[in-house]
């Protein structure tokens, strides 16, 4: 899975799978009480939505999902946007990798822009938006920022690693915040020999805290077919 926080198609620049093997999936997860659907569980409904082709369509979908989840009593959300970088800058369905991909800092600036667009869509064009870096500054390292509306109706933490959980917990305790949103989290919950959330009771506490956030919206690209299995001569 190529998530929006990664440099798009970096492992596929020299040998890409055929276009028909490129699969993009968008998933909306909504509270079951907010909207009926065909697949239900006791707690929630999973609804598959049409594939967005650009940033605005993606933001519109995410906004709808967050509003539905909020109407069901959810004020903490985790969302994952497809970052509009490189070949995805104009059309999400583009598959031809660029010769010179954008830098990590450029990717960071773009996901900040998407987050601003999301807050504006939620609250209206007149809303004031603040961006506060909570990393070490500069253009390298673990880039992270808080993007929020002036009245704290919506506060987003963008590109957090597990090391930023302390700051996120502090925000979660702030009663003046309306909706707290984690955008494109960089931590991994599976596949690591040692959990990024720590060990023993610290890991358990961190996992339980993250579980209080509703995985409301996720848009990602999935490529099927390993480059090493492709016969480039055919």
């Amino acid at each position: 899975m190529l998530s929006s926080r990664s440099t798009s198609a970096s492992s596929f620049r020299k040998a890409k799978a055929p276009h028909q093997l490129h699969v993009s999936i968008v998933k909306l997860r909504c509270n079951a009480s907010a909207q009926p659907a065909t697949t239900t569980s006791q707690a929630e409904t999973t609804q598959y939505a049409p594939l967005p082709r650009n940033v605005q369509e993606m933001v519109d979908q995410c906004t709808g999902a967050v509003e539905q989840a909020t109407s069901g009593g959810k004020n903490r959300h985790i969302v994952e946007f497809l970052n509009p970088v490189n070949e995805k800058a104009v059309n999400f369905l583009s598959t031809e990798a660029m010769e010179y991909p954008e830098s990590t800092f450029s990717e960071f600036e773009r996901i900040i822009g998407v987050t601003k667009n999301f807050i504006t869509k939620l609250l209206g064009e007149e809303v004031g938006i603040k961006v506060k870096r909570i990393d070490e500054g500069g253009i390298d390292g673990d880039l992270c920022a808080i993007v929020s509306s002036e009245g704290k109706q919506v506060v987003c933490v963008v590109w957090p690693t597990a090391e930023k959980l302390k700051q996120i917990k502090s925000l979660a305790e702030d009663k003046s915040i309306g909706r707290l949103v984690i955008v494109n989290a960089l931590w991994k919950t599976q596949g690591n020999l040692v959990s990024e959330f720590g060990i023993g009771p610290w890991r358990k506490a961190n996992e339980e805290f993250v579980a209080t956030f509703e995985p409301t919206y996720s848009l990602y690209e999935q490529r099927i077919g390993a480059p090493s299995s492709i016969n480039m001569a055919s």
Side-chain angles (χ1 to χ4, degrees), residues 12-190:
F12 289 84
R13 290 189 188 110
K14 293 185 179 179
K16 304 197 305 295
H19 285 187
Q20 64 267 27
L21 297 181
H22 298 173
V23 181
S24 296
I25 302 169
V26 59
K27 183 169 70 172
L28 278 166
R29 297 188 60 174
C30 307
N31 186 278
S33 63
Q35 180 174 326
T38 55
T39 304
T40 62
S41 65
Q42 291 183 348
E44 66 180 9
T45 296
T46 298
Q47 176 191 355
Y48 290 90
L51 183 68
R53 293 174 176 266
N54 54 51
V55 171
Q56 197 55 57
E57 291 180 6
M58 173 179 66
V59 168
D60 289 347
Q61 284 186 347
C62 183
T63 302
V66 168
E67 288 178 336
Q68 286 179 351
T70 300
S71 69
K74 305 289 187 180
N75 288 317
R76 297 180 184 179
H77 308 273
I78 292 180
V79 303
E80 181 176 10
F81 293 118
L82 183 67
N83 208 356
V85 298
N86 303 320
E87 72 274 9
K88 299 295 189 291
V90 177
N91 185 353
F92 284 175
L93 301 186
S94 297
T95 57
E96 190 66 32
M98 293 181 64
E99 185 80 18
Y100 302 101
E102 297 183 40
S103 67
T104 300
F105 187 71
S106 177
E107 291 190 20
F108 179 64
E109 290 183 313
R110 284 187 180 268
I111 199 64
I112 292 293
V114 173
T115 305
K116 289 181 176 179
N117 192 336
F118 163 65
I119 294 176
T120 300
K121 182 67 178 181
L122 271 175
L123 301 180
E125 294 289 340
E126 301 302 320
V127 65
I129 297 177
K130 299 178 180 179
V131 179
K132 178 183 178 182
R133 295 277 296 272
I134 56 171
D135 50 41
E136 296 179 354
I139 61 174
D140 296 314
D142 294 327
L143 306 175
C144 186
I146 296 174
V147 184
S148 61
S149 61
E150 287 186 342
K152 295 186 179 180
Q153 299 96 324
V154 179
V155 175
C156 300
V157 185
V158 183
W159 270 15
T161 62
E163 294 179 352
K164 296 298 186 292
L165 281 174
K166 183 177 180 180
Q167 288 96 319
I168 298 174
K169 289 178 180 179
S170 179
L171 291 171
E173 294 174 357
D174 187 343
K175 302 301 183 183
S176 66
I177 291 176
R179 283 172 278 193
L180 181 58
V181 185
I182 296 173
V183 178
N184 289 41
L186 297 183
W187 56 65
K188 294 181 180 179
T189 56
Q190 296 178 344

